[in-house]
Amino acid sequence: MIDLRLLRAEPDRVRASSHARGDDPARVDALLAADEARRAAVTRADGLRAEHKAVSQSVRRASADERPAVLERAQALAAEVKRAEAAQAEAEAALRAAHLAVPNVVLDGVPAGGEQDFVVVQTVGQVPTYDFPVKDHLDIGTALGAIDTERGAKVSGSRFAFLTGWGALLELALVNLSMAAAVEAGFTPVIAPALVRPEAMEGTGFLGAHADEVYRLASDDLYLVGTSEVPLAAYHSGEVLDELPLRYAGFSSCFRREAGSHGKDTRGIIRVHQFDKVEMFSYVDPAQAEAEHVRLLAHEMAFLSLLELPFRVIDVAAGDLGSSAARKYDCEAWLPSQERWLELTSTSNCTDFQARRLGIRSRGPGGLSPVATLNGTLCAVGRTIAVLLEVHQRADGSVHLPEALRPYLAGRTELLPQ
RNA sequence: GGAGGCGUCGCCUAGUCCGGUCUAUGGCGCCGCACUGCUAAUGCGGUUUGGGUCUCAAGCCCAUCGGGAGUUCAAAUCUCCCCGCCUCCGCCA
């Protein structure tokens, strides 16, 4: 949720942000009007409550003669208060709805426009060339005995896969390597729940536009998380944080329904319903948010470099940001089989937007105020394995293992087909 | 799954049976002031959070006793639902 004080003081800034995202600026004005209406309703109800309270307290002091008249007056006021409170509740609900409909204010410098309007910030490494016909990760993985999507489909349906043999070991190696890097960088390692309550899902903004992406267990009213950003953000919900920054690296399985992505990336394990991920999450002083964002991006880049993967960094355009993000950088690795860039990691600066909704605050000179939250992928395991296999493939079907990974794979330097 | 207990403004705690004097008691911690070579001790005052009003501040007002709904002129207190924690039993990796 955006800061209503900011909205009142600088509505044009919020309108400009809305314009950059390609949203209807009428939502901003609807929010302003709802805010105004709520304050009017609150003022009225407050006044009536004060009056009623005074009369009500005079009941016990009233003499027997006065009592009936006082009671009658108190009853009448009580009814009036009840009506005013209903109006207040209505105005508050309307404000909340209007509030949720306005996404975070984008930061200066974020490219305007939609999905295609990103700006390439940097390209690291060379786009690889191969003097043999490249195979895609599924062919390579199948030959290695590392990936089994057929049985994944048999057991669980389409977009599910088994990682077997080196595939399973590769996952564990990637998780261990990324966790070690995170700990080295000062993050607290966390194994997070993958099932969360509605409040956690809603608080992090995943029940808005992307609600149909989310698995829900109806009989228990729990949700399967699509990223450990959810439990890591909700971790401190409703708390006042004494010490900032707080940095966590959470490991969890992630579940996505992939509704509306029929036919897209259906082959292999690039887009599946369940995968594991190590996610960075920072709580910082809002003044430090942009610096922290750069830091998270640097960690992502360093990790991809450890894996010897060529990639580029893009500054995602305003219209392609999630509602919580004020800025987002994606790292896209080269996918040889499709000769295109594929998003491997993503880091978002949510400023105080997410923390306001989750009630995560810190004590400053002006009292309590929301902190800033940032998240970033350190390693989305499935996709990373796919890219790793493709980029490091050799003509004979073997796969080169990056040096950084070898200590976690018993010193092996390559994977050989079975 | 069954039975019982508990949830009070940072922490601990009084109050709940029997509704109004609760504008929530006391202790600890914390902040300020006084006293004091310094520190400690002591004394005095302050110390939930959110919102409204207000040019700002002060002030004033409203709400807030796990959450919600209800009864009532009036709810920490009575009723119902929900959430969480603890103990015991059962089951289980």
Side-chain angles (χ1 to χ4, degrees), chain A residues 33-105:
Chain A
D35 176 46
E36 192 83 40
R38 183 198 72 103
R39 280 149 68 202
V42 166
T43 302
R44 181 178 145 71
D46 271 3
L48 281 170
R49 265 190 293 264
E51 198 181 344
H52 171 253
K53 205 164 124 180
V55 174
S56 181
Q57 278 167 351
S58 72
V59 168
R60 61 190 306 270
R61 291 192 305 271
S63 67
D65 289 348
E66 301 167 331
R67 188 159 299 221
V70 175
L71 266 181
E72 195 184 330
R73 172 95 183 108
Q75 278 169 19
L77 271 169
E80 224 176 313
V81 165
K82 203 167 180 178
R83 278 196 300 276
E85 284 183 341
Q88 180 184 338
E90 211 171 298
E92 278 169 352
L95 173 65
R96 184 175 163 76
H99 208 169
L100 292 177
V102 174
N104 202 357
V105 178

Side-chain angles (χ1 to χ4, degrees), chain A residues 149-169:
Chain A
T149 52
E150 260 180 54
R151 291 198 177 90
K154 177 177 76 177
V155 173
S156 301
S158 68
R159 293 198 191 282
F160 282 93
F162 282 81
L163 292 180
T164 55
W166 290 114
L169 293 173

Side-chain angles (χ1 to χ4, degrees), chain A residues 2 6 36 63 75 86 213 278-279 322 328 331 348 353 390:
Chain A
I2 67 163
L6 171 82
E36 192 83 40
S63 67
Q75 278 169 19
E213 265 292 288
V278 174
E279 178 85 2
K328 175 158 96 172
C331 291
S348 295
F353 186 88
E390 291 201 11

Side-chain angles (χ1 to χ4, degrees), chain A residues 68-414:
Chain A
V70 175
L71 266 181
E72 195 184 330
R73 172 95 183 108
Q75 278 169 19
L77 271 169
E80 224 176 313
V81 165
K82 203 167 180 178
R83 278 196 300 276
E85 284 183 341
Q88 180 184 338
E90 211 171 298
E92 278 169 352
L95 173 65
R96 184 175 163 76
H99 208 169
L100 292 177
V102 174
N104 202 357
V105 178
V106 300
L107 293 177
D108 287 341
V110 171
E115 199 178 340
Q116 307 307 320
D117 298 310
F118 61 84
V119 169
V120 177
V121 176
Q122 197 180 342
T123 302
V124 177
Q126 296 286 319
V127 169
T129 54
Y130 301 86
D131 51 10
F132 56 90
V134 296
K135 296 186 209 143
D136 75 8
H137 70 277
L138 184 56
D139 286 339
I140 302 165
T142 303
L144 291 171
I147 300 173
D148 188 339
T149 52
E150 260 180 54
R151 291 198 177 90
K154 177 177 76 177
V155 173
S156 301
S158 68
R159 293 198 191 282
F160 282 93
F162 282 81
L163 292 180
T164 55
W166 290 114
L169 293 173
L170 208 45
E171 149 135 8
L172 294 175
L174 284 166
V175 169
N176 282 322
L177 174 63
S178 56
M179 269 296 183
V183 169
E184 176 71 20
F187 288 77
T188 302
V190 176
I191 309 290
L195 281 170
V196 300
R197 314 168 63 143
E199 299 91 298
M201 207 43 116
E202 192 166 271
T204 43
F206 284 91
L207 292 185
H210 298 291
D212 58 358
E213 265 292 288
V214 176
Y215 283 104
R216 172 162 182 259
L217 302 186
S219 53
D220 297 284
D221 203 15
L222 289 171
Y223 291 87
L224 282 163
V225 301
T227 161
S228 40
E229 173 191 346
V230 174
L232 290 176
Y235 189 59
H236 286 300
S237 61
E239 296 183 15
V240 175
L241 306 179
D242 299 321
E243 231 180 290
L244 291 177
L246 291 173
R247 298 188 175 103
Y248 299 99
F251 171 83
S252 83
S253 291
C254 303
F255 302 88
R256 300 183 180 184
R257 295 186 64 229
E258 298 297 343
S261 65
H262 307 296
K264 194 174 173 191
D265 302 325
T266 49
R267 198 176 146 76
I269 58 168
I270 285 173
R271 189 176 295 276
V272 288
H273 288 309
Q274 176 182 345
F275 61 97
D276 295 326
K277 184 155 66 82
V278 174
E279 178 85 2
M280 300 176 284
F281 196 92
S282 300
Y283 298 85
V284 306
D285 185 305
Q288 303 301 316
E290 292 193 56
E292 184 71 6
H293 201 192
V294 170
R295 211 170 285 133
L296 293 185
L297 177 60
H299 291 320
E300 292 183 358
M301 294 171 68
F303 184 70
L304 294 177
S305 297
L306 277 180
L307 299 181
E308 302 167 19
L309 297 175
F311 64 94
R312 68 177 188 181
V313 179
I314 65 169
D315 194 348
V316 174
D320 201 24
L321 296 174
S323 67
S324 297
R327 183 166 221 160
K328 175 158 96 172
Y329 298 108
D330 285 354
C331 291
E332 300 181 320
W334 185 253
L335 188 66
S337 67
Q338 298 182 26
E339 299 191 314
R340 67 169 175 113
W341 299 99
L342 173 72
E343 178 189 330
L344 264 199
T345 68
S346 176
T347 177
S348 295
N349 177 1
C350 296
T351 63
D352 58 4
F353 186 88
Q354 196 175 50
R356 181 169 291 107
R357 201 194 287 197
L358 287 166
I360 306 167
R361 297 169 297 171
S362 66
R363 214 169 282 281
L368 294 173
S369 58
V371 304
T373 59
L374 300 97
N375 61 78
T377 321
L378 195 51
C379 181
V381 178
R383 266 192 194 190
T384 304
I385 289 175
V387 170
L388 210 54
L389 295 182
E390 291 201 11
V391 169
H392 294 317
Q393 66 180 301
R394 298 189 188 120
D396 62 0
S398 68
V399 174
H400 158 82
L401 284 175
E403 214 159 310
L405 223 37
R406 295 177 191 170
Y408 299 95
L409 288 166
R412 283 188 83 93
T413 59
E414 60 184 358

